[in-house]
């Protein structure tokens, strides 16, 4: 199996904080890998190291077979980065942005123009292609941002929180585009705070917590870690009052319901109990809270 | 089916630099207000000094010939200040990270800004010179003197632009960059640009005599008006070269340190 990314023992310290405390990860070529974590978990630092922007204090990383420190230029020839703040030139038009990136990527003037028109079409920007990017909506900027990463085919693409701040529709559009990219064989490394995003896009997911990988696997494997179903207590207007994971046994379910029965709010009018499969959210909270993965009780009132 | 072998083609020659120059020139042209300010403000300043202060400073009416070289220099500084803002904007948005994850010479983006600034400022200077001729500026310069004067002006623009580019790198935001730049724009007032240095208090004379603007102005004045040049030309070129070198070293250090650490 070819590894697109192979990082061992990455450490990075900014001032007094250890942003990365010995991070290991591998990503198989041609797969989509999601790095999941709360704000400040070190997601962007990981991307910055893998894209040669920042040197690790310790540890090594190879991207597309080349060391990110010793052979940074070779790595740069094989990657594209779509960063967190849209990396587009707001004064230029979409076409000018795309042509500029084409020229910087070694295309001739003519090839760069052809490619710009193709990408504008594919990313639904043709109508706006001759307008300054400053007038674009957030969704259009992100689409252009992603298009800029695809001006030439590179084997590994990094997306740092590609859909943060987008509305649902723009997010769905971007997901489709990223999926198409992955289906064509590009390795995609993305960071996200949204579990749904990781669930929808990624072949493998790693949860980053405290500068280390706290858990890794497919979405199903991670969900399986939490055990059985989750019992929820909801108020009459659908608000979540409390939820309890169970171990999947009849006994465990009964114990959970008994526990919910003791919740003062349970007696209120219209309160309902439902049972559901665990979501990645449950896994995420279970892992990043640092505790075990099952029979932990949590109050989730207003976590969103 | 997946391959890790696709790569970006290698860039030939100065493709990166010329692409960034094109980008910065488009920026200059699109920012109509900044472009207008770079031309209109020095012209207004010149008219103000010539028609309002001129007769009080030199009742014989020859002040316009004295002040124009200084105005030209002031104008050069004006347009260069926007380079600090442009560079700072690049550094604080994500676009610099995109460029830095591509196999490009790291200074290429800055080269784009500097060359665009040079073009912008030479254009503004030409407009100011034309306006000066209209209001009675009568230089005694030959064609070669003019060429030499423009060469000195270009060198000065390069020096101050590099300095502003480095300031743009050092500033924490585009607004801060524009603020720092403002301080530099005061230098021409404490020089021989508007009044002869001898008319200033003694302590100020020392500053005016030993700062870079004075020899540059005296050199331009000598070339255009035929005043004695003395060792001004040497000092002017020396100052400019030192400023360019210092700003380039400082800038390269800042660029490595700051990029990727937003």
């Amino acid at each position: 199996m070819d590894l697109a990314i192979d990082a061992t023992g990455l450490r990075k310290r900014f001032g007094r904080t250890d942003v990365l405390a010995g991070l290991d990860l591998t990503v198989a070529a041609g797969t989509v890998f999601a790095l999941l974590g709360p704000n400040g978990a070190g997601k962007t630092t990981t991307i910055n190291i893998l894209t040669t922007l920042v040197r690790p204090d310790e540890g090594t990383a190879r991207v597309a077979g080349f060391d990110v420190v010793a052979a940074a230029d070779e790595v740069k020839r094989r990657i594209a980065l779509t960063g967190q703040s849209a990396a587009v030139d707001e004064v230029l038009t979409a076409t000018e942005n795309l042509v500029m990136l084409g020229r910087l990527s070694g295309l001739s003037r003519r090839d760069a123009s052809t490619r710009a028109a193709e990408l504008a079409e594919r990313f639904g920007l043709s109508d706006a292609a001759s307008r300054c990017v400053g007038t674009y909506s957030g969704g259009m900027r992100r689409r252009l941002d992603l298009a800029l990463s695809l001006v030439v085919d590179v084997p590994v693409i990094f997306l740092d929180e590609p859909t943060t701040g987008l509305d649902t529709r723009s997010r769905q559009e971007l997901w489709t585009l990223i999926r198409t990219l992955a289906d064509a064989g590009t390795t995609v490394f993305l960071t996200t705070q949204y579990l749904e995003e990781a669930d929808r896009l990624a072949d493998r997911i790693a949860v980053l917590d405290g500068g280390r990988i706290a858990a890794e696997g497919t979405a199903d494997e991670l969900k399986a870690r939490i055990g059985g179903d989750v019992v929820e207590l909801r108020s009459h207007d659908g608000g979540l009052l409390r939820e309890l994971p169970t171990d999947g046994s009849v006994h465990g379910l009964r114990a959970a319901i008994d526990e919910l029965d003791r919740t003062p709010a349970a007696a209120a009018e219209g309160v309902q109990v439902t049972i559901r499969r665990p979501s990645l959210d449950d896994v995420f909270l279970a892992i990043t809270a640092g505790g075990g993965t099952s029979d932990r009780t949590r109050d989730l009132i207003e976590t969103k | 089916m997946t391959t890790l072998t696709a790569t970006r083609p290698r860039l030939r020659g100065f493709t990166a630099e010329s692409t960034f120059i094109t980008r910065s020139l488009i920026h200059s042209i699109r920012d109509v207000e900044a472009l207008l300010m770079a031309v209109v403000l020095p012209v207004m300043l010149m008219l103000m000094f010539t028609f309002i202060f001129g007769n009080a400073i030199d009742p014989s009416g020859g002040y316009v010939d004295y002040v124009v070289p200084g105005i030209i220099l002031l104008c050069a500084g004006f347009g260069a200040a926007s380079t600090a803002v442009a560079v700072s904007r690049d550094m604080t948005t994500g676009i610099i990270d995109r460029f830095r994850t591509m196999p490009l010479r790291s200074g290429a983006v800055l080269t784009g800004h500097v060359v665009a600034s040079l073009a912008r400022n030479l254009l503004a200077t030409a407009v100011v010179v034309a306006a000066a001729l209209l209001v009675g500026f009568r230089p005694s310069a030959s064609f070669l003197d003019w060429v030499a004067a423009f060469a000195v002006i270009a060198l000065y623009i390069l020096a101050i632009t590099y300095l502003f580019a480095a300031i743009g790198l050092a500033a924490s935001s585009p607004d801060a960059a524009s603020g720092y730049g403002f301080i530099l724009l005061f230098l021409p007032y404490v020089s021989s640009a508007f009044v002869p240095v001898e008319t200033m208090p003694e302590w100020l004379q020392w500053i005016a005599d030993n700062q870079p603007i004075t020899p540059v102005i005296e050199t331009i004045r000598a070339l255009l008006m035929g005043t004695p040049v003395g060792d001004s030309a040497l000092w002017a070129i020396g100052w400019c070269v030192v400023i360019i070198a210092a700003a380039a070293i400082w800038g390269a250090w800042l660029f490595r340190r700051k990029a990727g650490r937003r």
Side-chain angles (χ1 to χ4, degrees), chain B residues 45 48-50 52-59 62-71 74 186-202 204-209 211 213-215 217-218 221:
Chain B
L45 217 62
M48 188 175 80
F49 272 95
T50 314
I52 301 176
F53 303 140
N55 283 331
I57 297 170
D58 181 358
Y63 187 63
V64 63
D65 287 335
Y66 181 84
V67 82
V68 164
I71 298 283
L74 196 69
F186 268 99
L187 273 184
Y189 295 96
V190 192
S191 77
S192 62
F194 301 106
V195 292
V197 173
E198 303 84 68
T199 61
M200 297 178 190
E202 218 161 282
L204 212 52
Q205 280 190 29
W206 187 87
I207 297 176
D209 273 332
Q211 63 124 316
I213 308 272
T214 301
I217 287 178
E218 287 309 317
R221 198 168 273 148

Side-chain angles (χ1 to χ4, degrees), chain A residues 23-44:
Chain A
L23 178 127
D24 300 308
L25 62 84
T26 55
V27 178
T31 62
V32 178
F33 184 92
L35 189 62
L36 201 60
N39 276 331
K43 299 190 297 288
T44 299

Side-chain angles (χ1 to χ4, degrees), chain A residues 8-221:
Chain A
T8 322
L10 291 183
R11 284 176 180 275
K12 185 72 196 178
R13 173 176 268 270
F14 285 132
R16 290 178 166 208
T17 20
D18 278 316
V19 182
L20 296 182
L23 178 127
D24 300 308
L25 62 84
T26 55
V27 178
T31 62
V32 178
F33 184 92
L35 189 62
L36 201 60
N39 276 331
K43 299 190 297 288
T44 299
T45 304
T46 307
I47 285 229
N48 283 351
I49 290 175
L50 294 176
T51 56
T52 77
L53 288 173
V54 166
R55 280 166 175 247
D57 295 335
E58 280 176 47
T60 56
R62 296 174 80 78
V63 172
F66 292 91
D67 189 281
V68 292
V69 176
D73 263 2
E74 292 301 323
V75 172
K76 288 179 188 180
R77 296 182 65 204
R78 290 164 176 83
I79 61 168
L81 165 69
T82 291
Q84 208 174 105
S85 48
V88 295
D89 189 320
E90 302 212 337
V91 178
L92 303 185
T93 66
T95 304
E96 285 163 349
N97 266 291
L98 288 162
V99 169
M100 172 174 74
L101 256 287
R103 295 286 290 146
L104 292 176
S105 302
L107 299 184
S108 69
R109 228 172 277 275
R110 179 196 298 217
D111 289 350
S113 294
T114 316
R115 186 68 180 146
E118 266 170 37
L119 284 169
E121 172 77 40
R122 182 169 148 205
F123 283 76
L125 294 167
S126 290
D127 292 339
S130 54
R131 262 176 32 212
C132 286
V133 175
T135 66
Y136 281 23
S137 69
M140 289 164 77
R141 271 170 215 232
R142 290 301 174 94
R143 290 208 301 271
L144 174 61
D145 204 357
L146 188 57
L148 289 173
S149 287
L150 306 182
V151 165
V152 290
D153 288 330
V154 287
V156 187
I157 288 190
F158 292 87
L159 307 171
D160 195 2
E161 303 202 3
T163 64
T164 298
L166 293 189
D167 60 41
T168 314
R169 192 172 148 238
S170 307
R171 181 169 297 157
Q172 301 273 358
E173 286 171 359
L174 217 63
W175 282 348
T176 312
L177 289 168
I178 294 169
R179 203 56 251 181
T180 320
L181 202 64
D183 292 343
T186 310
T187 308
V188 179
F189 183 102
L190 66 95
T191 68
T192 181
Q193 306 183 42
Y194 303 114
L195 297 127
E196 193 193 352
E197 187 159 291
D199 208 354
R200 283 278 301 273
L201 290 174
D203 299 309
R204 291 186 77 77
I205 298 166
V207 179
L208 188 62
D209 188 39
R212 280 197 188 83
I213 302 293
E216 205 214 312
T218 63
D220 285 340
E221 283 167 7

